[in-house]
Amino acid sequence: MRPFPPGFRFGTSTAAYQIEGAVSSDGKGPSIWDTFTAKPGAIIDGSSGAQACDHYHRYPEDVALMGELGANGYRFSISWPRIQPSGKGRPSPKGLAFYDRLIDACLEHGVQPMTTLYHWDLPQALEDDGGWLNRATIDAFADYAAIVGERFGDRVEHWVPVNEPNVVTIMGYAIGMHAPGRALMFEALPVAHHLLVAHGRASIALRESVRGRIPSIGCANNHAPMWPASDDEADVGATKLFDGLWNGLFMEPMLLGRYPEDCLPLVEDAIQDGDLTTIRQPLDFYGVNYYNPMRIAATEEDSELPFEFRQIVGYPVTDFGWPVVPDALREWLVMARARFRAALPPLMITESGCAYNMGPDENGVVDDQPRIDYLESHLDAVAKAIDRGVDVRGYYCWSLMDNFEWAEGYTKRFGLVHVDFETQKRTPKRSFDWYRQFIATQSERVD
């Protein structure tokens, strides 16, 4: 693999609800995930993030592992209800103090923070008032962004207001597989618009509130190449529609200040004057969360949805059943540059990873060779895109450690570090050692 450019950021990513635990400690308020996980059948193994990795108490050990890894970037999220238990009002001193300690620990280990403001744990009190269907939540989010920007902006390098607004919209509000568990189908699409406006309002609030440094603000949007199931006109049309809903509905407003023509009728009733200008805030980087391409087919006319997902065959799959197609990442990056040109800021891979459930053997070794293969091939795909002229400036591996995997509970492991959820023992996997050596080798090449 050719050397990455000087200054390229190799990092890891996590999310607050998935690792912190301590869901009611030090005045933290309930989130929609606390409520959702309490519903029978909502989580495959009946678990929750109540304890998770106990990162709230064990963060020094976890940050020390990052220092050992040599990763110079860490993308984590702030728990909104830990800062504002009800989503409004004065911030919690203890909540702010926790993230002070975490950020300072990262900097002491040479790890630059990338802070996500919203990684899906909406304060339950706001959901009780309508959640992301209610425009008032946008105002509350902007106030929250100002609070954390003023408090942490002197030390945080990169900011991401909203993680994966498409997943929030579709999984949380359209089909109900994630919190808050609503199944509104196409009636959920105002959520997408409100999340985009919230991204813009938070970006403005961060730039106005951060002191001591100019904030670098981006996004972390989940994107995937869309492959038609066949050359049939119906399959191609269905693929174009879902591509618009999954990719274009979020990328085009942020970069071009408009919605895809095919999708505009689905959100236009939610649009108010000035919204598209608010959404199209200057981005210092465009974050891409990539896992796999999707294969789309048309459905019968009387079906509830006009598209369906088909299996992608001919590739290895993860323990999640997701196809491993690293060249699709290269394809997407090259396509994005060709399509958006000057409108596209520098790119960051803000998430990329895989679920493999290997545990420690009799010698305490976690031999997760498939994860090593995944990382090597996907980093190679990024390098090839850079060779093609795409400006990519970072790769954040999902995830630093095994954690609570949303609706899958603890049945899927994405971490470079194995976590025994009963004892909380951390065991770096072989992939951790591989990534550490890779980062060190890249640093030596650049030097």
Side-chain angles (χ1 to χ4, degrees), residues 353-411:
C354 51
Y356 291 107
N357 293 343
M358 299 82 170
D361 63 16
E362 64 274 9
N363 298 313
V365 175
V366 182
D367 187 358
D368 59 339
Q369 183 62 44
R371 181 171 286 105
I372 295 173
D373 296 340
Y374 181 99
L375 287 171
E376 186 171 30
S377 61
H378 285 74
L379 283 162
D380 184 59
V382 174
K384 289 177 179 176
I386 293 172
D387 284 346
R388 291 280 302 274
V390 184
D391 186 1
V392 187
R393 300 191 182 180
Y395 182 97
Y396 286 71
C397 172
W398 186 271
S399 174
L400 172 65
M401 68 187 90
D402 297 336
N403 51 50
F404 175 77
E405 184 46 42
W406 307 116
E408 301 295 319
Y410 297 99
T411 68

Side-chain angles (χ1 to χ4, degrees), residues 55 94 199 207 238 250 270 350 355 375 383 389 395 440:
H55 177 73
K94 291 183 177 179
H199 157 85
R207 290 195 168 99
F250 301 90
T350 38
L375 287 171
Y395 182 97

Side-chain angles (χ1 to χ4, degrees), residues 224-243:
M226 297 294 165
W227 296 353
S230 75
D231 293 333
D232 183 87
E233 183 178 343
D235 288 341
V236 172
T239 304
K240 181 181 178 183
L241 174 60
F242 190 71
D243 180 55

Side-chain angles (χ1 to χ4, degrees), residues 18 196 231 278 381:
Q18 292 183 273
L196 286 165
D231 293 333
T278 298

